[in-house]
């Protein structure tokens, strides 16, 4: 079976009398795929993430991970398969040193000490943090802490990794570090990757994008398809990146831009093509 | 930010005392404290004093740091001595100064009590000077392990201690940030009456508490997401091992105890 994560008509609310935060959410994610979930603040993205590893349970509908419906009885098995990185770099750093933190998930799984001592440097290497094993968290930047968090997930070799706005609290440099790390990890492993963001710039490298709005799946498609809905995107509270705005602007001036350029390089390429045709 | 404040008194180093297993240090200190109360002769005190000072020197921690650890109790040590000297009246009058009599027995008692005090504080402070807080936490967890049988939450206690150690620097950074933010809005923490200063602290404490609670909640969720289900079936990456030097230390200490007991009156 290639469908690995499935949401079937999932609805959820935090309290009995509160409005629904998710309404009939329905999508599936394939093995090895990189899916970006994007939406404005409060659109239900984190709720989706928490439903995926049993931190919350669906009110109606089904959430399946590797074919099994998540429930109270298999939640710890699911958590072994689904690694998660949260938004705040400080509030997920458990260990007093980098090594202790990377080992935390392995310790919870009862992995023998010798294996941990081998795995910790390996995982740190995958996020280019091998030189920091002895460091305490308060001597690390936000981006470095988030990379340690990713290493902690990699160390337990899950099938899925969810990054819930893992870059949102970082400066541009830290953000770049994390995006690169994620791209490397995705290329070098067969992890199914789910990155959650409210920044359209961060969906570019994903295979597929799910756009959330007010607790509903508003759109599903490739990054390029998403970018072709600029006006609608800004209507649901997402900041359209500069390149997409420029495309729009050029078109309105009668310049025929064929494809949706995703980044500066593609835009420059497109403009060269246009010029050579003129 | 002041680093020494965060990690307490710990002075990193590579001396033999630094490298001993933290459990060795705690156990030796525990029995040292008991032994001190058995000393009652000049020789037994001399042996214990030599042992304590010798150990302090062996840590190679600068004496100024050792003295800093003793600072808060100097007063008590001297006060104990003076109290005995002036208040209690036992034994023969040794000499009289300006009509005030000094008693022999009081002098001896005052001196021994102060010495005991000094030895206890000096020796116990060597633990925190040469052992990082997280090592002490590990040692406590390991030493209290037998109490698990009577359902004492040993693992939880150790986890609480290590998470506190982890978050103290974070919260201090945050407190500093908030106090700067408040100061830039004109809040004055330094001058004014006590009451004014107390009320200036409130806008510092409230945001700090709010954020600490939020952190706690998020941390608990992150721990759960990473598979934490309590101490049952957990392994540990930090390991404590008794080496030959630990056994040697115990043996040497046994000799000190034997010598102390042997020279009692
Ligand atoms: N613990 C909670 N209790 C009650 N309401 C919550 C809680 N967490 C989130 N919500 C509400 O659920 C909605 C969706 O939140 P969330 O999934 O965190 O959105 P996002 O991650 O997209 O910003 C928001 O309206 C938010 O206020
Ligand atoms: Mg969120």
């Amino acid at each position: 079976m290639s469908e690995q994560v499935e949401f079937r008509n999932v609805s959820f609310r935090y309290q009995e009398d509160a409005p629904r935060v998710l309404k009939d959410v329905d999508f599936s994610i394939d093995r090895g795929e990189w899916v970006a979930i994007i939406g404005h603040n409060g659109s239900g993205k984190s709720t989706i993430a928490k439903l995926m590893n049993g931190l919350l349970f669906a009110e109606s509908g089904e959430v399946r991970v590797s074919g099994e419906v998540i429930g109270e009885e298999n939640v710890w098995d699911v958590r072994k398969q689904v690694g998660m990185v949260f938004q705040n770099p400080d509030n997920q750093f458990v260990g007093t040193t980098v090594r202790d933190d990377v080992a935390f998930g392995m310790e919870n799984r009862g992995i023998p000490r010798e294996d941990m001592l081998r795995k910790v440097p390996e995982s740190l290497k995958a996020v280019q943090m091998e030189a920091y094993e002895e460091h305490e968290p308060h001597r690390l930047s936000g981006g470095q802490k988030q990379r340690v968090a990713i290493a902690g997930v990699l160390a337990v070799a899950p099938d899925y990794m969810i990054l819930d706005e893992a870059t949102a609290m970082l400066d541009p440099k830290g953000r770049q570090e994390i995006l690169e790390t994620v791209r490397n990890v995705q290329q070098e492993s067969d992890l199914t990757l789910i990155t959650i963001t409210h920044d359209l710039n961060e969906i570019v490298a994903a295979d597929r994008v799910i756009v959330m709005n007010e607790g509903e799946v508003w759109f599903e498609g490739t990054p390029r398809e998403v970018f072709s809905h600029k006006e609608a995107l800004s209507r649901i509270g997402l900041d359209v990146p500069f390149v997409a705005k420029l495309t729009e602007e050029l078109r309105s001036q009668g310049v025929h831009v064929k494809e949706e350029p995703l980044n500066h390089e593609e835009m420059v390429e497109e403009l060269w093509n246009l010029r050579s045709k003129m | 930010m002041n680093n020494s404040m965060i990690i307490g008194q710990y002075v990193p180093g590579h001396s033999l005392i630094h490298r001993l297993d933290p459990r060795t240090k705690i156990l030796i200190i525990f029995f040292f404290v008991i032994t001190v109360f058995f000393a009652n002769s000049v020789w037994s005190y001399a042996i214990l004093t030599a042992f304590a000072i010798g150990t302090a020197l062996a840590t190679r921690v600068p004496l100024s740091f050792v003295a800093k650890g003793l600072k808060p109790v100097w007063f008590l040590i001297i006060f104990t001595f003076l109290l005995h000297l002036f208040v209690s009246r036992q034994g023969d009058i040794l000499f009289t100064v300006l009509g005030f009599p000094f008693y022999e027995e009081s002098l001896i008692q005052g001196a021994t009590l102060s010495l005991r005090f000094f030895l206890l504080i000096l020796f116990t402070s060597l633990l925190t000077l040469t052992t990082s807080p997280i090592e002490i936490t590990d040692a406590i967890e390991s030493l209290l392990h037998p109490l698990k049988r009577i359902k004492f939450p040993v693992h939880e206690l150790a986890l609480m201690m290590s998470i506190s150690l982890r978050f103290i620097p974070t919260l201090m950074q945050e407190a500093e940030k908030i106090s700067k933010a408040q100061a830039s809005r004109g809040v004055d923490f330094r001058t004014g009456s006590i009451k004014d200063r107390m009320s200036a602290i409130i806008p510092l404490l409230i945001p700090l508490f709010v954020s600490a609670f939020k952190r706690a909640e998020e941390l608990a969720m992150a721990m759960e997401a990473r598979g934490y289900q309590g101490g049952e079936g957990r392994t540990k990456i930090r390991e404590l091992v008794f080496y030959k030097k630990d056994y040697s230390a115990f043996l040497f200490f046994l000799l000190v105890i034997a010598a102390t007991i042997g020279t009692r009156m």
Side-chain angles (χ1 to χ4, degrees):
Chain A
M1 202 167 110
S2 73
E3 277 180 353
Q4 292 294 299
V5 178
E6 273 184 271
F7 273 57
R8 288 292 159 250
N9 303 313
V10 173
S11 296
F12 181 84
R13 62 177 120 200
Y14 280 93
Q15 276 108 29
E16 285 284 328
D17 48 352
R20 290 223 216 114
V21 170
L22 295 182
K23 300 158 202 154
D24 267 334
V25 171
D26 200 280
F27 62 81
S28 57
I29 295 171
D30 289 345
R31 192 193 184 87
E33 205 181 7
W34 176 357
V35 172
I37 300 179
I38 189 165
H40 61 83
N41 262 336
S43 59
K45 308 181 297 292
S46 296
T47 308
I48 289 182
K50 285 169 193 166
L51 284 163
M52 280 186 202
N53 75 347
L55 290 169
L56 299 172
F57 296 104
E59 181 187 72
S60 65
E62 277 178 359
V63 180
R64 286 173 185 269
V65 170
S66 300
E68 277 192 70
V69 179
I70 305 183
E72 299 273 1
E73 46 324 307
N74 63 359
V75 58
W76 293 106
D77 290 332
V78 169
R79 280 182 201 157
K80 278 183 191 164
Q81 300 171 46
V82 185
M84 211 158 152
V85 177
F86 296 89
Q87 180 171 1
N88 190 316
D90 264 318
N91 299 354
Q92 57 186 317
F93 205 113
V94 189
T96 39
T97 64
V98 168
R99 183 206 280 125
D100 289 326
D101 192 66
V102 174
F104 183 74
M106 293 192 279
E107 292 179 327
N108 293 335
R109 287 159 176 77
I111 291 172
R113 181 164 183 271
E114 301 76 61
D115 296 352
M116 293 200 263
L117 291 176
R118 199 166 34 77
K119 277 270 182 60
V120 168
E122 259 176 43
S123 320
L124 283 173
K125 196 150 188 244
V127 298
Q128 269 113 50
M129 285 291 289
E130 63 269 41
Y132 295 86
E133 207 175 311
E134 308 286 337
H135 277 230
E136 296 96 2
H138 61 95
R139 284 160 64 200
L140 302 178
S141 72
Q144 290 175 324
K145 278 180 226 171
Q146 291 300 65
R147 281 190 279 160
V148 171
I150 293 175
V153 170
L154 294 178
V156 294
D159 300 324
Y160 313 89
M161 178 154 74
I162 307 173
L163 286 92
D164 185 359
E165 305 217 37
T167 60
M169 294 183 65
L170 306 179
D171 54 17
K173 183 168 163 282
R175 196 166 297 186
Q176 210 49 47
E177 282 171 18
I178 298 303
L179 291 177
E180 258 159 47
T181 305
V182 168
R183 211 164 300 158
N184 288 341
V185 165
Q186 215 265 342
Q187 271 162 14
E188 271 155 40
S189 65
D190 49 3
L191 265 178
T192 305
L193 194 60
I194 298 148
T195 53
I196 295 176
T197 173
H198 64 257
D199 184 348
L200 277 165
N201 289 305
E202 293 189 4
I203 65 169
V204 173
D207 299 321
R208 201 151 55 88
V209 184
I210 296 171
V211 184
M212 295 295 299
N213 184 38
E214 308 288 346
E216 285 174 288
V217 176
W218 180 83
F219 185 82
E220 238 188 289
T222 64
R224 228 177 273 285
E225 285 163 356
V226 172
F227 277 120
S228 64
H229 292 79
K230 281 170 283 287
E231 259 175 56
L233 286 175
S234 55
R235 242 187 294 124
I236 64 164
L238 293 171
D239 273 335
V240 179
F242 172 73
V243 172
K245 279 187 196 148
L246 183 60
T247 313
E248 188 75 4
E249 210 51 42
L250 286 169
R251 282 199 185 127
S252 71
Q253 296 295 319
V255 180
H256 184 67
V257 185
K258 269 205 319 298
E259 264 198 295
E260 289 296 328
L262 289 175
N263 50 36
H264 285 86
E265 288 76 45
E266 287 190 21
M267 179 54 120
V268 171
E269 187 71 17
E270 186 71 24
L271 291 177
W272 274 118
N273 283 340
L274 282 170
R275 192 182 148 79
S276 57
K277 269 181 244 160
M278 279 201 290
Chain B
M1 194 177 23
N2 186 351
N3 247 342
S4 65
M5 216 163 122
I6 294 163
I7 47 178
Q9 299 177 300
Y10 177 51
V11 184
H14 298 283
S15 74
L16 171 68
I17 313 293
H18 279 88
R19 284 180 290 123
L20 286 177
D21 188 295
R23 291 171 298 178
T24 307
K25 296 188 234 183
I26 290 180
L27 287 174
I28 287 181
I29 285 171
F30 181 75
F31 289 107
F32 180 85
V33 169
I34 294 175
T35 313
V36 164
F37 286 100
F38 277 98
N40 66 354
S41 67
V42 174
W43 272 110
S44 54
Y45 275 114
I47 291 168
L48 289 177
T49 310
F51 176 62
I53 291 180
T55 313
L57 292 176
T59 61
R60 301 222 208 100
V61 171
L63 284 179
S64 59
F65 283 92
V66 181
K68 221 166 46 183
L70 290 173
K71 212 161 127 198
V73 288
W74 269 129
F75 168 76
L76 266 177
I77 292 173
I78 292 169
F79 184 72
T80 311
F81 181 66
L82 293 181
L83 200 70
H84 266 87
L85 210 54
F86 291 120
V87 177
S88 88
R89 313 180 155 213
Q90 286 161 358
D92 307 326
I93 296 181
L94 209 53
F95 51 86
T96 314
V97 180
L98 299 171
F100 193 90
F102 285 87
Y103 295 87
E104 185 184 0
E105 197 63 18
S106 306
L107 193 72
I108 294 175
Q109 266 192 15
T112 51
L113 257 176
S114 310
L115 180 62
R116 274 184 187 175
F117 226 157
F118 170 74
L119 287 178
L120 294 181
I121 304 295
L122 171 68
F123 207 68
T124 44
S125 77
L126 294 183
L127 175 72
T128 45
L129 281 169
T130 64
T131 323
S132 69
I134 193 71
E135 275 185 295
I136 296 178
T137 306
D138 289 341
I140 290 174
E141 177 167 17
S142 169
L143 290 172
L144 294 185
H145 192 80
L147 293 186
K148 267 203 166 142
R149 278 217 211 117
I150 57 162
K151 299 263 175 359
F152 186 80
V154 180
H155 162 76
E156 286 74 8
L157 185 76
L159 184 79
M160 255 163 55
M161 283 173 64
S162 83
I163 288 181
S164 316
L165 290 173
R166 146 76 188 89
F167 274 92
I168 286 168
T170 309
L171 290 177
M172 292 205 9
Q173 278 172 349
E174 185 157 26
E176 199 175 270
K177 223 180 345 182
I178 297 172
S179 77
K180 275 188 185 146
Q182 306 284 22
S184 74
R185 292 183 195 131
V187 178
D188 186 355
F189 296 105
R190 289 202 171 69
T191 55
S193 66
I194 299 233
K195 194 168 153 279
D196 285 347
R197 270 187 278 174
M198 291 291 267
S199 55
I201 293 279
I202 290 173
L204 176 76
L205 280 186
I206 289 178
L208 201 59
F209 266 90
V210 170
S211 112
F213 276 110
K214 183 159 173 273
R215 283 181 196 283
E217 202 174 318
E218 285 186 16
L219 187 72
M221 179 159 282
M223 284 170 63
E224 217 180 307
R226 294 173 72 178
Y228 179 75
Q229 324 178 47
E232 214 53 49
R234 238 177 147 253
T235 46
K236 294 193 69 184
I237 195 164
R238 282 198 315 274
E239 192 184 47
L240 295 176
V241 187
F242 285 125
Y243 292 104
K244 216 171 127 201
K245 53 178 176 283
D246 295 293
Y247 297 115
S248 311
F250 279 126
L251 210 63
F252 181 69
F253 180 61
L254 269 178
L255 290 178
V256 172
I257 294 185
T260 311
I261 305 293
T263 51
R264 266 166 58 92
M265 281 187 303

